[in-house]
């Protein structure tokens, strides 16, 4: 997890997961592997296969950009343009099979910043190196945390919810996927 810098307009000083929006290059970036069966099926039940794959690539890219962690497989360094340049220069290809889709959430209407986010989990063994770097500087502190320690931090409500989901999923990996959204004036969680 990482703590957003105090000067950020959105979620300043909050501990969050790395993440961000899809870049056009995420639709065509090369990968060492594709999303696995369960993750692929769950994503493709919501969106088309091309966008599902792009979301997985976005998760890998944003994790790298914000933390320096590479969810990938060693490969010959490649010269590419755009947001994948540094990832490929580091000699890696994304390992999309390492991702497990764990939750989806849509920000309530009326918020200044809204998102329709998918949350993914990857085993630390899928990393080329386990130590984070400074990343892009968007996060002013990056740390590996035990679930109980993470829950004690200053977290956005959705991050706290997803940590609970991860905890549940560790003992029940086939658990239905939660979808958190605002419905008739309250948060609603459905499972599918």
């Amino acid at each position: 997890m990482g703590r957003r810098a105090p000067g950020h307009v959105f979620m300043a000083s909050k501990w969050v997961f790395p993440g961000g929006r899809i870049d056009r290059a995420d639709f065509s970036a090369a990968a060492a592997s594709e999303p696995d069966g369960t993750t692929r099926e769950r994503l493709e039940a919501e969106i088309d296969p091309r966008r599902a794959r792009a979301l997985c690539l976005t998760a890998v890219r944003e994790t790298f950009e914000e933390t320096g962690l590479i969810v990938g497989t060693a490969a010959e360094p490649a010269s590419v343009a755009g947001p994948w340049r540094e990832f490929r220069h580091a000699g890696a290809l994304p390992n999309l099979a390492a991702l497990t889709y764990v939750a989806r959430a849509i920000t309530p209407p009326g918020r200044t910043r809204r998102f329709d986010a998918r949350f993914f989990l990857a085993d630390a063994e899928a990393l080329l190196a386990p130590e984070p770097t400074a990343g892009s500087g968007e996060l002013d502190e990056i740390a590996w945390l035990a679930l109980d320690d993470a829950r004690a931090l200053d977290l956005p409500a959705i991050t706290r919810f997803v940590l609970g989901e991860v905890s549940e999923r560790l003992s029940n990996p086939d658990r239905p996927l939660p979808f958190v959204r605002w419905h008739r004036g309250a948060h609603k969680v459905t499972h599918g």
Side-chain angles (χ1 to χ4, degrees):
M1 296 187 74
R3 186 179 62 206
R4 289 179 57 83
H8 281 264
V9 175
F10 183 64
M11 293 192 189
S13 301
K14 298 279 188 187
W15 283 83
V16 297
F17 304 118
R21 67 179 49 181
I22 292 177
D23 186 277
R24 187 177 2 189
D26 297 335
F27 286 95
S28 58
S33 63
E34 297 304 312
D36 80 358
T38 303
T39 293
R40 188 188 73 251
E41 289 167 15
R42 288 179 169 180
L43 283 167
E44 290 179 7
E46 300 173 9
I47 53 179
D48 69 81
R50 189 169 175 262
R51 187 167 184 81
R53 183 178 187 274
L55 283 170
C56 292
L57 282 160
T58 301
V60 170
R61 179 182 52 75
E62 287 285 344
T63 297
F64 173 69
E65 288 176 0
E66 293 181 16
T67 68
L69 294 169
I70 298 174
V71 179
T73 302
E76 288 296 318
S79 179
V80 298
W84 285 97
R85 181 180 61 241
E86 290 192 34
F87 191 95
R88 293 302 311 278
H89 182 72
L93 279 170
N95 178 2
L96 305 184
L99 300 178
T100 300
Y101 182 25
V102 296
R104 179 182 178 198
I106 297 178
T107 312
R111 298 277 173 95
T112 307
R113 299 191 191 260
R114 296 200 64 211
F115 57 82
D116 181 351
R118 272 74 173 193
F119 296 88
F120 297 91
L121 174 69
D123 192 297
E125 291 180 10
L127 298 172
L128 286 183
E131 292 305 316
T133 65
S136 64
E138 185 173 332
L139 304 173
D140 69 357
E141 186 174 345
I142 302 165
W144 288 107
L145 302 162
L147 282 170
D148 289 339
D149 294 340
R151 288 182 180 128
L153 299 172
D154 185 9
L155 304 171
I158 190 59
T159 304
R160 189 171 304 285
F161 175 84
V162 172
L163 285 172
E165 181 60 27
V166 166
S167 180
E168 291 293 326
R169 193 163 296 282
L170 291 174
S171 60
N172 181 7
D174 296 326
R175 178 182 172 80
L177 187 75
F179 175 27
V180 182
R181 68 187 194 296
W182 194 255
H183 183 71
R184 296 185 177 173
H187 279 103
K188 180 177 182 177
V189 179
T190 55
H191 291 85

